[in-house]
Amino acid sequence: MHQYLALCQRIIDEGVWVENERTGKKCLTVINADLTYDVANNQFPIITTRKSYWKAAIAELLGYLRGYDNAADFRELGTKSWDANANQNEAWLNNPVRKGEDDMGRVYGVQGRRWQKPDGSTLDQLGKIVNNLQKGLDDRGEIMTFYNPGEFELGCLRPCMHTHNFSLLGDTLYLTSYQRSCDVPLGLNFNQIQVFTLLALMAQITGKSSGLAYHKVVNAHIYEDQLELMRDVQLNRDPFDPPQLHINPDIKTLKDLETWVTLDDFEVEGYQHHEPIAYPFSV
């Protein structure tokens, strides 16, 4: 929580105004932010200076792990986070490859589970990583990336959190996640929760112990219509101690994650928070 607030204050103190062509808004921006989450000791990195909707973040992560490409499937899991990008993005609405309402195209989990190879077959990046880690193998390339420049035009949004690199030291699993761009008031806590939960889940289904999760953000920004709420409201609140995340111990395989797991299999214990803050969302 403190490193999140420190980043917000750094953006306000050191940020440079940058015009964003996609949204038509200005962003106060800094380059390079490094955050670390203690998954081993279950220090769940959820925002406490406003209410954070952790269930939606985990539901979105589950959709990525399943390779979903339709906003309706994400809604069924418990999140509406893809409704706007699938159905309100003018460039995507006018893209001839769009299949219709709620279609997201080849984004995020599609690339992670069904990367298109030159011969027309697909590569399951996540499946390869799980298989290796279960065997205690780390080839220094246990990497799942969603960033496929050759297919940007086939999806509604380029990935922001684009690469997850797993590392195994003995029986302890680590994760380094890379993010090219981050809407800090709205998006970052989603991303923090997902990085933490991804490491916890992967350690559980591969039979390893969780270590630390490292989260690198390249472009961290606050939109102009979010700045006042961040500076005058959220940063003036005192944070609470972090809660803990509990995951159903019956989740033991990737197949479990693909089939029967729901939000009922996750619980956050001891979450204290201030009142919600309605930050504007930029499509």
Side-chain angles (χ1 to χ4, degrees):
M1 183 66 227
H2 291 284
Q3 58 187 340
Y4 173 90
L5 295 175
L7 174 58
C8 295
Q9 189 64 57
R10 177 187 160 207
I11 294 172
I12 291 172
D13 293 340
E14 303 174 13
V16 175
W17 285 109
V18 176
E19 295 283 349
N20 184 257
E21 182 178 353
R22 179 176 64 87
T23 62
K25 298 179 183 179
K26 291 191 302 181
C27 300
L28 199 57
T29 305
V30 298
I31 301 301
N32 192 54
D34 291 293
L35 303 101
T36 303
Y37 314 128
D38 188 353
V39 186
N41 290 305
N42 203 356
Q43 299 293 298
F44 192 51
I46 192 170
I47 296 301
T48 62
T49 48
R50 66 168 174 83
K51 185 176 183 179
S52 181
Y53 299 93
W54 62 269
K55 289 186 177 181
I58 292 179
E60 186 178 65
L61 175 63
L62 287 175
Y64 293 163
L65 297 180
R66 292 177 178 179
Y68 284 168
D69 63 0
N70 192 284
D73 291 327
F74 281 88
R75 287 198 299 274
E76 186 174 350
L77 278 174
T79 179
K80 297 180 179 180
S81 57
W82 279 95
D83 286 7
N85 282 309
N87 298 308
Q88 298 176 27
N89 182 329
E90 283 299 322
W92 179 238
L93 293 178
N94 295 322
N95 191 319
V97 304
R98 184 174 181 265
K99 298 174 183 177
E101 185 177 1
D102 286 327
D103 180 42
M104 297 158 49
R106 291 187 56 79
V107 296
Y108 282 88
V110 175
Q111 302 292 349
R113 302 306 308 271
R114 300 187 300 279
W115 183 281
Q116 194 79 30
K117 297 169 68 174
D119 64 2
S121 63
T122 59
L123 172 68
D124 183 356
Q125 300 180 69
L126 181 60
K128 174 262 186 184
I129 295 168
V130 170
N131 288 338
N132 275 6
L133 294 178
Q134 286 175 333
K135 299 172 184 175
L137 300 177
D138 177 0
D139 65 6
R140 302 181 187 173
E142 307 302 344
I143 298 170
M144 178 171 61
T145 184
F146 306 143
Y147 205 78
N148 187 348
E151 294 193 349
F152 283 164
E153 74 279 6
L154 302 182
C156 64
L157 184 71
R158 287 183 299 163
C160 296
M161 175 82 71
H162 59 81
T163 300
H164 300 284
N165 190 335
F166 295 91
S167 302
L168 192 60
L169 294 180
D171 286 327
T172 302
L173 186 63
Y174 296 82
L175 173 61
T176 306
S177 296
Y178 301 89
Q179 186 166 357
R180 66 172 179 86
S181 174
C182 186
D183 174 341
V184 172
L186 272 180
L188 182 52
N189 198 221
F190 249 56
N191 302 132
Q192 290 178 294
I193 289 168
Q194 289 170 345
V195 171
F196 183 101
T197 306
L198 178 58
L199 177 54
L201 279 172
M202 288 289 284
Q204 183 165 311
I205 68 173
T206 59
K208 307 303 175 187
S209 299
S210 298
L212 296 173
Y214 303 100
H215 183 181
K216 177 176 282 293
V217 180
V218 176
N219 184 302
H221 50 266
I222 299 173
Y223 280 99
E224 56 185 326
D225 53 6
Q226 300 170 331
L227 181 59
E228 184 177 353
L229 285 171
M230 174 59 72
R231 182 190 59 219
D232 299 341
V233 180
Q234 188 165 355
L235 283 175
N236 287 315
R237 295 174 173 178
D238 293 325
F240 295 103
D241 291 335
Q244 292 193 326
L245 174 68
H246 298 294
I247 300 174
N248 184 347
D250 291 335
I251 302 173
K252 297 177 180 179
T253 67
L254 181 55
K255 189 72 172 179
D256 292 339
L257 291 175
E258 294 169 338
T259 54
W260 57 264
V261 174
T262 71
L263 289 180
D264 291 337
D265 296 295
F266 301 86
E267 178 186 358
V268 174
E269 179 185 10
Y271 181 33
Q272 295 178 277
H273 57 80
H274 292 266
E275 292 298 310
I277 299 176
Y279 282 110
F281 174 68
S282 298
V283 178

